[in-house]
């Protein structure tokens, strides 16, 4: 539990500079406004009404990755992302009113800095957050459309004709590295209960699996492998059917009401599962889930329920390292490195578990990634909203990846996976480096060992 609330920590920054060495955007631009200290000052000034809200302030706060590396480095417990999100919520509330000048906060319109967000754009964004991410059935429909796009031949035609050139460059690149979507028949509900595979041994615990929303559509193989890995590591796995999106993207976008609605649904869905832990395989989701308690700190009716929920959250790598028992593994002589998820290492405080698991694979050489403390530039949908800066961060990250001479690049979060895969594509190294989620890498290693076993 945090020692200070965001409101309290907003006043504890002593501008010591401990955060400067870990901020990815400051590392790129060198501008104080692109660092934690500058953003805290801007957010605080906006929240207190000391400075007018204008387009420059909005855009500057939007440039923050919310990676929490600065919080991890801060000796004063300044909750930089939470402070920024409070300011963004105020800005989002103003946008909801159709124009900033209708808000009661002090706003500077003298230089036309505030640009009214086009209603169609807001409508599409609201639909995505409220009707797609907030509804697994609708998200599955999107998954079905993506599957049809890939399998019907439309994707090949689109690329051959060059239709994608009419879309923004970042969207073109993301389309090129989009994972293969499984058909609807293979994206049905997970079994509500999956027993441990080594049933001749004592169980390592009863856990619930958090499947996520985008994870279960675009990365269904990884979710299936997560349940398989937990089972093979000795856990009995429950997958509640009523679970929904974690709400992380809503929270980061200033849609706190929707995030709280989703949090309540998840808390209720997992309460009757009777499990020791709730397991996630996505650093971004896990970071949101462990902070549910913070969502309800002013709501006594839900606070205790949220606290019990958050206390059970564990990343899959963490639980396997601490309590699991992996079966035999087998590598193929590959050289491997690992790019950490920021939310996994800085919010969930899981810094070494994925690497420890990868190091267990025999006949595989693990190489530490230089400057792995820096974000890859994914940060939820940051790479879509801030493509120029995200790509600069990614290009710098890829310089370090090249230094490892690795054939396999491991991640522990879907956003990181796509971003690093994009980096490999941008560098023209798709035939040299393979990007994998740590779960998929481990399950493949297990299956390789099983295939070699005489039994």
């Amino acid at each position: 539990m945090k020692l200070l609330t965001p409101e309290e920590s907003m006043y504890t920054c002593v501008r010591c500079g401990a955060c400067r060495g870990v901020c990815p955007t400051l590392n790129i631009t060198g501008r104080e406004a692109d660092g934690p200290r500058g953003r805290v000052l801007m957010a605080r000034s906006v929240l207190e009404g000391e400075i007018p809200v204008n387009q420059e302030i909005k855009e500057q706060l939007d440039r923050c990755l919310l990676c929490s590396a600065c919080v991890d480095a801060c000796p004063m417990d300044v909750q930089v992302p939470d402070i920024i999100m409070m300011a963004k919520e105020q800005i989002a509330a103003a946008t909801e009113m159709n124009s900033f000048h209708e808000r009661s906060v002090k706003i500077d319109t003298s230089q036309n800095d505030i640009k009214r967000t086009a209603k169609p754009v807001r409508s599409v964004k609201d639909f995505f957050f409220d009707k797609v991410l907030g509804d697994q059935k609708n998200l599955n429909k999107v998954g079905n459309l993506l599957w049809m796009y890939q399998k019907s031949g439309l994707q090949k035609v689109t690329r051959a004709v060059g239709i994608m050139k009419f879309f923004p460059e970042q969207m073109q690149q993301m389309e090129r590295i989009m994972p293969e979507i499984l058909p609807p028949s293979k994206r049905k509900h997970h079994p509500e209960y999956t027993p441990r595979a080594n049933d001749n041994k004592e169980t390592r615990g009863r856990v619930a699996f958090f499947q996520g929303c985008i994870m279960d559509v675009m990365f269904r193989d990884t979710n299936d492998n997560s349940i398989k890995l937990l089972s093979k590591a000795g856990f009995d796995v429950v997958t509640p059917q009523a679970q929904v999106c974690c709400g992380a993207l809503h929270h980061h976008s200033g849609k706190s009401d929707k995030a709280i609605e989703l949090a309540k649904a998840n808390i209720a869905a997992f309460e009757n599962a009777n499990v020791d832990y709730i397991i996630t395989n996505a650093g971004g989701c896990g970071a949101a889930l462990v902070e549910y308690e913070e969502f309800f700190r002013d709501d006594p009716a839900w606070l205790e329920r949220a606290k019990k929920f958050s206390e059970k959250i564990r990343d899959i790598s963490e639980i396997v390292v601490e309590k699991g028992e992996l079966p035999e593994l087998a590598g193929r002589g590959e050289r491997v490195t690992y790019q950490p998820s920021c939310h996994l290492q800085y919010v969930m405080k899981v810094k070494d578990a994925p690497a420890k698991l990868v190091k267990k694979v025999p006949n595989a050489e693990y190489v530490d990634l230089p400057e792995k403390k820096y974000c890859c530039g994914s940060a939820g949908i940051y790479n879509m909203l801030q493509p120029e800066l995200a790509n600069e961060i990614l290009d710098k990250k890829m310089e370090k990846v090249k230094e490892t001479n690795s054939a396999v690049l491991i991640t522990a979060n879907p956003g990181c996976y796509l971003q690093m895969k994009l980096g490999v594509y941008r560098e023209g190294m798709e035939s040299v480096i393979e990007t994998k989620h740590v779960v998929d890498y481990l399950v493949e290693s297990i299956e390789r060992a099983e295939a070699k076993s005489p039994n």
Side-chain angles (χ1 to χ4, degrees):
M1 189 173 181
K2 294 174 182 174
L3 298 177
L4 298 173
T5 66
E7 292 88 347
E8 292 169 337
S9 73
M10 190 164 65
Y11 298 97
T12 62
C13 177
V14 294
R15 302 185 62 79
C16 66
C19 56
R20 289 178 58 84
V22 298
C23 179
T25 51
L26 182 62
N27 181 252
I28 293 293
T29 71
R31 297 174 62 242
E32 182 70 10
D34 279 322
R37 300 188 307 187
R39 289 178 178 134
V40 167
L41 182 60
M42 278 187 285
R44 173 180 165 180
S45 299
V46 167
L47 290 165
E48 293 180 336
E50 290 293 324
I51 60 174
V53 178
N54 54 44
Q55 188 68 13
E56 183 180 3
I57 293 293
K58 179 185 181 301
E59 291 177 353
Q60 199 63 55
L61 293 179
D62 284 343
R63 285 163 67 86
C64 179
L65 291 139
L66 303 175
C67 67
S68 293
C70 51
V71 181
D72 187 71
C74 180
M76 303 302 292
D77 192 43
V78 179
Q79 304 299 320
V80 181
D82 290 344
I83 295 167
I84 291 173
M85 282 190 285
M86 285 195 300
K88 291 177 72 171
E89 285 176 12
Q90 183 162 303
I91 294 170
T95 305
E96 296 274 334
M97 300 288 288
N98 294 328
S99 65
F100 285 104
H101 67 268
E102 294 175 358
R103 283 284 292 162
S104 59
V105 296
K106 186 188 298 183
I107 295 170
D108 177 16
T109 58
S110 59
Q111 298 179 5
N112 295 318
D113 282 337
I114 300 301
K115 301 174 183 177
R116 181 177 300 189
T117 303
K119 187 174 181 179
V121 174
R122 291 202 308 274
S123 297
V124 170
K125 184 177 179 181
D126 289 344
F127 178 82
F128 174 72
F129 278 105
D130 297 339
K131 303 300 182 181
V132 180
L133 284 181
D135 189 317
Q136 193 65 30
K137 290 182 179 179
N138 287 339
L139 193 58
N140 278 326
K141 291 177 183 177
V142 173
N144 294 343
L145 291 174
L146 289 174
W147 171 73
M148 290 178 63
Y149 169 72
Q150 291 179 333
K151 296 303 179 184
S152 66
L154 183 59
Q155 184 180 53
K156 292 181 180 179
V157 172
T158 298
R159 292 178 177 179
V161 176
I163 293 176
M164 289 304 298
K165 69 181 180 182
F166 295 105
F167 291 85
E169 182 181 357
Q170 193 76 355
M171 189 174 292
Q172 295 178 42
Q173 294 180 349
M174 294 304 291
E175 190 275 340
R176 297 292 303 189
I177 55 92
M178 181 172 61
E180 183 177 347
I181 308 298
L182 292 183
S185 61
K186 293 186 177 181
R187 285 189 284 111
K188 295 180 179 179
H189 286 307
H190 296 284
E192 286 200 55
Y193 175 71
T194 303
R196 62 191 183 279
N198 53 347
D199 53 9
N200 59 326
K201 297 182 180 180
E202 183 179 352
T203 180
R204 293 286 171 156
R206 179 180 166 93
V207 301
F209 176 60
F210 185 81
Q211 65 191 30
C213 53
I214 294 177
M215 276 298 299
D216 217 43
V217 172
M218 298 189 69
F219 300 91
R220 180 56 184 256
D221 276 337
T222 302
N223 271 4
D224 290 341
N225 281 338
S226 295
I227 295 174
K228 183 183 295 185
L229 178 63
L230 289 167
S231 174
K232 287 183 175 293
F235 298 97
D236 297 310
V237 188
V238 178
T239 308
Q241 302 299 311
Q243 60 179 293
V244 295
C245 171
C246 68
L249 293 178
H250 301 82
H251 185 46
H252 293 168
S253 298
K255 293 181 172 290
S256 57
D257 289 345
K258 186 64 178 181
I260 289 173
E261 175 189 325
L262 294 169
K264 288 180 177 179
N266 279 323
I267 292 169
F270 283 86
E271 279 179 330
N272 297 324
N274 189 29
V275 295
D276 304 307
Y277 302 101
I278 299 170
I279 309 303
T280 176
N281 61 5
C285 292
L289 298 176
V290 298
E291 292 193 324
Y292 273 9
E293 180 183 352
E294 292 297 316
F295 285 16
F296 298 101
R297 57 188 173 87
D298 296 322
D299 186 348
W302 279 88
L303 181 58
E304 191 60 32
R305 296 172 69 180
K307 181 178 181 181
K308 289 179 180 179
F309 176 90
S310 294
E311 287 175 346
K312 290 185 177 182
I313 302 300
R314 295 290 186 280
D315 182 72
I316 189 168
S317 62
E318 178 185 22
I319 198 70
V320 171
V321 165
E322 293 180 358
K323 298 185 177 295
E325 181 182 0
L326 282 176
E328 186 178 352
L329 303 165
R332 45 188 170 82
E334 66 271 28
R335 191 178 176 95
V336 187
T337 194
Y338 165 59
Q339 165 59 32
S341 154
C342 292
H343 285 107
L344 183 59
Q345 63 175 334
Y346 297 132
V347 180
M348 296 186 73
K349 306 299 182 183
V350 179
K351 298 190 176 184
D352 302 317
K356 285 181 179 179
L357 291 175
V358 173
K359 290 176 182 178
K360 288 180 180 290
V361 179
N363 194 29
E365 180 186 2
Y366 178 82
V367 184
D368 209 28
L369 180 65
E371 297 188 7
K372 61 184 179 182
K373 64 184 178 181
Y374 289 113
C375 179
C376 64
S378 169
I381 54 175
Y382 183 93
N383 54 356
M384 298 300 294
L385 301 177
Q386 301 285 335
E388 184 176 340
L389 188 52
N391 285 340
E392 287 189 63
I393 293 171
L394 177 59
D395 290 344
K396 196 162 188 176
K397 176 67 67 176
M398 288 306 299
E399 292 176 7
K400 302 303 176 183
V401 171
K402 290 178 185 178
E403 291 179 16
T404 68
N405 291 317
S406 295
V408 183
L409 176 55
I410 301 292
T411 66
N413 184 60
C416 300
Y417 168 85
L418 287 176
Q419 183 75 344
M420 298 313 300
K421 191 173 181 181
L422 175 61
V424 171
Y425 167 73
R426 284 166 57 87
E427 294 292 334
M429 301 179 69
E430 291 174 291
S431 63
V432 179
I433 302 178
E434 190 176 13
T435 308
K436 285 188 176 295
H437 191 288
V438 63
V439 165
D440 297 323
Y441 179 71
L442 290 171
V443 169
E444 288 176 12
S445 299
I446 292 171
E447 291 177 344
R448 190 178 298 114
E450 291 175 344
K452 292 181 179 180
S453 175
N455 297 324

